[in-house]
Amino acid sequence: MHPDHPDTQQSTETRPVRRTIDPASAERRIGRHRAPEPARRGPVRSTPARVAVATGVTCCLGLIGVVGAREPGQRHEPVQQALSDRAAAAAEQRASRDFERAAPPVAVPVTPIPAATPSPTPTKKKTPKKPVRPKHPRPVAGLDQQQMDNAKAIVDAGLAMKMPRRALVVAVATAMQESNLYNLASDVLPESFDYPHQGSGSDHDSIGLFQQRPSSGWGTVAEIMRPAYAARAFFTALEEVPGWTEMSLTAAAQAVQVSAFPDAYAQHEDRATTVVAALV
């Protein structure tokens, strides 16, 4: 058959052409000295990328569902418009949660709370304190402490009865003469030793600072043995003497005591005056 015959030409065109691979070119293509071709990118394999893709797909599907779920008869908005509306709503929601919000359009009046001011501490005026007399005054005029304490008991009793200073001097001088300013018991009256005493005498039943006798009505033994009671008994009797304030010390004392030695009281007037001055 002639080569130019159509059948011969068709069979020639449809026959596949085999190419021979030159060993040298094959070596050039797969040779170990040829630079490796860049690796092709495969599907996304990192976890953050997968999460981002899945989130985007979920949001898109949700938007499509929202847009598609409309009542019959309404026109469907384009997806792009729905995405824009959702983005605007999200921006508005973020703005409402923003911590740096603008001030409200109407200012709310706030009443300021006044700061608490400490109240001034009131200053107390110091009142001058009265001098406190010692319980045991310092002895004067040659007396010891027991004698001085007994003299103080006499003066305190007279001051409580509001007796004048002259009566105080008469009483102290009388006690100096009768008992030497000691609270004495009596050897004749054994009961008197049952009470506090500072010695004893033997002149009948005379006891105490003023040697007063229970048998004469001055009081009980227990009462007379207390210096304060004995002094009050003396001042009460002195007040009953008419005009005693104009009498001498000896006459005033004798009017109360009725002593066998009436002139003996005068010798103690100066010392008694010194003692009373130290106690008043």
Side-chain angles (χ1 to χ4, degrees), residues 232-254:
R232 288 196 300 271
F234 179 85
F235 287 124
T236 300
L238 181 63
E239 284 183 314
E240 294 177 357
V241 176
W244 70 269
T245 54
E246 285 80 20
M247 295 181 180
S248 65
L249 186 145
T250 299
Q254 178 63 17

Side-chain angles (χ1 to χ4, degrees), residues 2-279:
H2 195 270
D4 295 330
H5 193 274
D7 296 334
T8 305
Q9 189 174 0
Q10 182 178 3
S11 62
T12 303
E13 290 177 357
T14 58
R15 184 179 300 173
V17 180
R18 293 183 181 180
R19 293 182 182 179
T20 61
I21 301 174
D22 188 6
S25 64
E27 184 179 356
R28 285 195 300 271
R29 288 169 59 183
I30 62 175
R32 59 183 177 178
H33 298 289
R34 186 178 179 182
E37 295 181 359
R40 296 181 180 178
R41 292 185 180 180
V44 179
R45 300 193 178 204
S46 63
T47 301
R50 289 181 180 181
V51 173
V53 171
T55 304
V57 171
T58 303
C59 292
C60 291
L61 292 176
L63 287 175
I64 293 172
V66 171
V67 173
R70 292 180 175 270
E71 296 180 2
Q74 291 185 353
R75 296 180 60 186
H76 295 280
E77 293 181 1
V79 177
Q80 186 65 30
Q81 182 65 29
L83 291 175
S84 300
D85 294 343
R86 184 173 179 82
E92 184 179 356
Q93 187 177 6
R94 284 196 304 272
S96 67
R97 293 195 300 267
D98 191 2
F99 290 104
E100 298 179 358
R101 297 181 184 177
V106 180
V108 179
V110 178
T111 303
I113 300 176
T117 56
S119 58
T121 304
T123 56
K124 294 182 179 180
K125 294 182 179 180
K126 294 183 178 180
T127 56
K129 295 182 178 180
K130 295 181 180 180
V132 179
R133 295 179 182 178
K135 184 176 180 180
H136 298 285
R138 184 176 62 86
V140 296
L143 304 180
D144 60 21
Q145 191 62 60
Q146 287 183 337
Q147 290 172 310
M148 195 69 184
D149 291 343
N150 291 330
K152 182 177 183 301
I154 296 172
V155 171
D156 289 346
L159 293 175
M161 297 176 65
K162 298 182 181 181
M163 298 296 292
R165 180 183 291 259
R166 178 65 175 173
L168 305 179
V169 173
V170 172
V172 171
T174 301
M176 285 180 175
Q177 174 60 30
E178 295 291 347
S179 64
N180 199 16
L181 277 174
Y182 290 115
N183 192 27
L184 301 179
S186 175
D187 297 334
V188 179
L189 193 61
E191 182 186 351
S192 60
F193 288 93
D194 296 338
Y195 304 97
H197 57 279
Q198 298 165 336
S200 63
S202 57
D203 184 12
H204 305 289
D205 57 346
S206 300
I207 55 176
L209 291 176
F210 294 91
Q211 292 292 287
Q212 296 160 334
R213 303 177 62 178
S215 59
S216 300
W218 286 95
T220 64
V221 176
E223 290 173 339
I224 298 173
M225 291 299 295
R226 288 189 291 122
Y229 173 86
R232 288 196 300 271
F234 179 85
F235 287 124
T236 300
L238 181 63
E239 284 183 314
E240 294 177 357
V241 176
W244 70 269
T245 54
E246 285 80 20
M247 295 181 180
S248 65
L249 186 145
T250 299
Q254 178 63 17
V256 176
Q257 296 294 109
V258 191
S259 171
F261 307 96
D263 298 331
Y265 300 108
Q267 60 181 334
H268 305 290
E269 185 170 357
D270 293 340
R271 294 177 64 209
T273 303
T274 302
V275 172
V276 171
L279 294 173

